[in-house]
Amino acid sequence: MRNVISQMMVTVNGLVEGPDHALDWHVVDDEYDQYNDELFSTVDTLLFGRVTYQHMEDFWKTPIAYEKVPETAERMNQYDKIVFSNTLDQVTWQNTTLINGGELEKQLRHLKQQNGKNMLVLGSSDLVSALREYGLVDEYHLIVNPVALADGKRLWSGLNHTITLQFLDSKVFQSGNVLLRYRK
């Protein structure tokens, strides 16, 4: 059975994005890129909500993406991508499938039963919240960045019940980022 891994950048005060969806506080360097390459080698499918999908497509298809991080750009463009949305009518990024958000639970349970590597959700906090409520996130990779923001979107917004997680491991990056890995 395939697992769903949620990878989320988070501030020390528990925010996943700043005002107006700002992500300019993410600390990304060579060490982070190495972790990311290792994570990407364990997956073959990327899962997105609409907002993150559009943000990712806008960047990863560009020559700048291939110039800055060629291996990640290649993977982002070649891997299967699934977008869950109630508002998109079509998708244009290669290897992307659009699934109506109302079919989220049914479709993802089906995808988990298929052969293949794990599936990865990058960001997409609204999608992760929905998956969490259905019990469909198997592993959480929280990358705590050494920054606190005055305002923004909370990591666990909309949580309706207690979730107990099993600690797997952690890693401290030279940048001050701390990776915390948990399993549900």
Side-chain angles (χ1 to χ4, degrees):
M1 183 159 157
R2 300 166 78 188
N3 287 320
V4 172
I5 300 168
S6 167
Q7 189 235 49
M8 189 86 57
M9 291 280 208
V10 61
T11 66
V12 294
N13 60 329
L15 300 178
V16 294
E17 61 184 45
D20 299 321
H21 310 289
L23 302 174
D24 58 348
W25 51 270
H26 287 187
V27 178
V28 177
D29 59 9
D30 290 342
E31 191 177 21
Y32 170 81
D33 289 341
Q34 181 181 350
Y35 148 77
N36 207 41
D37 286 343
E38 291 169 10
L39 175 61
F40 266 67
S41 71
T42 69
V43 304
D44 62 9
T45 305
L46 305 173
L47 308 175
F48 297 110
R50 178 191 57 82
V51 173
T52 304
Y53 165 75
Q54 290 173 322
H55 174 75
M56 295 287 196
E57 179 185 30
D58 286 347
F59 177 72
W60 289 108
K61 288 173 36 175
T62 67
I64 293 170
Y66 279 94
E67 183 181 313
K68 285 185 160 193
V69 276
E71 288 127 10
T72 303
E74 185 66 27
R75 287 177 172 157
M76 292 295 289
N77 286 290
Q78 294 303 316
Y79 279 17
D80 289 335
K81 293 168 281 297
I82 300 172
V83 182
F84 294 94
S85 174
N86 293 321
T87 57
L88 281 179
D89 294 326
Q90 64 179 356
V91 290
T92 57
W93 197 2
Q94 68 186 23
N95 303 322
T96 301
T97 302
L98 175 63
I99 296 178
N100 182 286
E103 295 288 313
L104 174 67
E105 180 182 16
K106 176 184 171 188
Q107 292 295 327
L108 200 51
R109 288 193 190 285
H110 175 72
L111 288 166
K112 287 179 71 138
Q113 297 300 322
Q114 293 180 346
N115 290 329
K117 293 182 176 182
N118 293 329
M119 296 175 280
L120 177 63
V121 185
L122 296 169
S124 295
S125 60
D126 291 339
L127 175 60
V128 171
S129 291
L131 295 174
R132 181 189 68 227
E133 290 304 310
Y134 293 125
L136 292 171
V137 177
D138 300 291
E139 195 170 305
Y140 294 90
H141 289 206
L142 303 176
I143 303 166
V144 182
N145 285 227
V147 64
L149 300 175
D151 192 24
K153 187 175 190 180
R154 297 240 160 258
L155 172 63
W156 298 102
S157 61
L159 186 62
N160 296 322
H161 59 281
T162 301
I163 297 176
T164 302
L165 301 173
Q166 174 190 4
F167 176 75
L168 295 175
D169 62 28
S170 64
K171 174 183 172 130
V172 177
F173 294 83
Q174 291 179 2
S175 65
N177 282 353
V178 178
L179 167 64
L180 301 170
R181 289 184 53 234
Y182 296 96
R183 187 156 191 77
K184 75 169 184 172

